[in-house]
Amino acid sequence: MNKEKYLQDISEIKDLMNKSSRFISLSGISGILAGIYALLGAWYAHWIVNFEGNGYLTLHGNLFKKCLLVLIAVGVLSIGTAILLTTQKAKKNNEKIWDPTTRRLLFSFLVPLVAGGIYIIIMLSQGRYGQSGSLMLLFYGISLFSASKYTLGYVKYLGLTEILLGLISATMPGYGFWFWVIGFGIMHIVYGALMYIKYDKK
C-alpha cells in the first residue's frame, strides 16, 4: 500500500515538474488545420500561376503580390487558429496560457524565424527567389527545434523534418513549391494528427 502511494506521489511530482517546465497545451487540431490551410493556399497559388501567368511568376508582377497575399493569409489563419484552440485547451485543463515557460518558448521560436524572414525578404528584394521555399522550410524547422525544449517532443521531430525537407529542396531547384507543400501542408497534418491521438483525445 505504502509502495503504491509512494509511486503515485512520484508520478504526481513528475507531472507537476513537467507542467512547470513545458508548455503542454498545444492543440493537435490547430496543427491539422494549419496543414489544410497550407494545402488550400498552395492549390490556389498554383492555380493562379498556371491560369493567369501561364506557369511563370515574376517578382515584381501583380501575380507575385497575389501569391504573397495567399502566403500571408495562410500564416495569419494558422497563427490565429493555434492561439484560439490552444487558449481554449489551456482553460479547459486549468493551465496558464502566459507564463515564463510560454515566454521562453516564444523567444526561442521567434528569434530564428524573424531572422530567417528578414533574410528571405532581403534575397527577394535582390531578385533571388529561387531558394525562398527551401529557406522558409529551413528557418521554420530551426525555429521549431529551438522552441521544442519548452514544449512537447513531437515539435522537435517536426522541426527536424522541416530542416531535412529544406536541405533536400535546396539541392533540387525547381521543386521548392512541392517541398513547401509537403513541409507546411502534409507534415503539419501528420504532426497534428499524432498530437491529437496522443494528447487531445484523452
Side-chain angles (χ1 to χ4, degrees):
M1 187 72 178
N2 289 334
K3 184 179 179 181
E4 289 179 3
K5 190 176 185 306
Y6 176 71
L7 291 173
Q8 184 180 353
D9 289 342
I10 290 177
S11 178
E12 288 176 357
I13 291 169
K14 184 179 177 182
D15 187 52
L16 285 170
M17 290 178 65
N18 189 46
K19 285 183 177 180
S20 66
S21 62
R22 289 177 180 268
F23 183 74
I24 59 176
S25 291
L26 292 176
S27 169
I29 296 295
S30 67
I32 295 172
L33 290 174
I36 292 172
Y37 298 151
L39 291 178
L40 290 174
W43 169 81
Y44 180 69
H46 189 261
W47 181 79
I48 60 174
V49 167
N50 284 282
F51 182 73
E52 296 184 20
N54 296 317
Y56 293 96
L57 184 68
T58 56
L59 183 61
H60 301 290
N62 288 327
L63 199 56
F64 179 80
K65 293 177 181 177
K66 286 184 180 179
C67 290
L68 189 59
L69 284 174
V70 171
L71 183 64
I72 292 171
V74 168
V76 170
L77 279 171
S78 299
I79 293 169
T81 301
I83 292 172
L84 177 64
L85 295 181
T86 298
T87 301
Q88 288 179 348
K89 185 180 176 184
K91 287 180 179 178
K92 184 180 178 181
N93 295 336
N94 294 317
E95 296 169 358
K96 290 182 179 179
I97 190 68
W98 188 250
D99 59 15
T101 301
T102 312
R103 289 193 285 273
R104 287 193 292 269
L105 184 149
L106 287 175
F107 183 78
S108 298
F109 179 74
L110 288 175
V111 169
L113 190 71
V114 171
I118 293 170
Y119 179 69
I120 291 169
I121 290 171
I122 292 170
M123 289 194 66
L124 290 174
S125 68
Q126 296 173 351
R128 297 182 294 163
Y129 54 94
Q131 294 290 347
S132 56
S134 59
L135 286 171
M136 286 180 193
L137 288 166
L138 189 60
F139 280 110
Y140 180 59
I142 292 171
S143 299
L144 289 173
F145 187 80
S146 174
S148 66
K149 59 181 173 287
Y150 300 113
T151 187
L152 301 170
Y154 281 137
V155 174
K156 176 174 67 176
Y157 298 113
L158 177 63
L160 289 172
T161 303
E162 301 287 357
I163 291 170
L164 181 61
L165 287 171
L167 292 174
I168 296 173
S169 174
T171 67
M172 301 176 68
Y175 293 93
F177 172 81
W178 299 110
F179 280 100
W180 192 96
V181 168
I182 294 170
F184 289 102
I186 295 171
M187 291 314 303
H188 266 123
I189 293 173
V190 171
Y191 155 78
L194 290 172
M195 288 276 291
Y196 177 78
I197 292 169
K198 186 167 183 178
Y199 299 103
D200 295 359
K201 213 171 181 182
K202 295 180 181 179

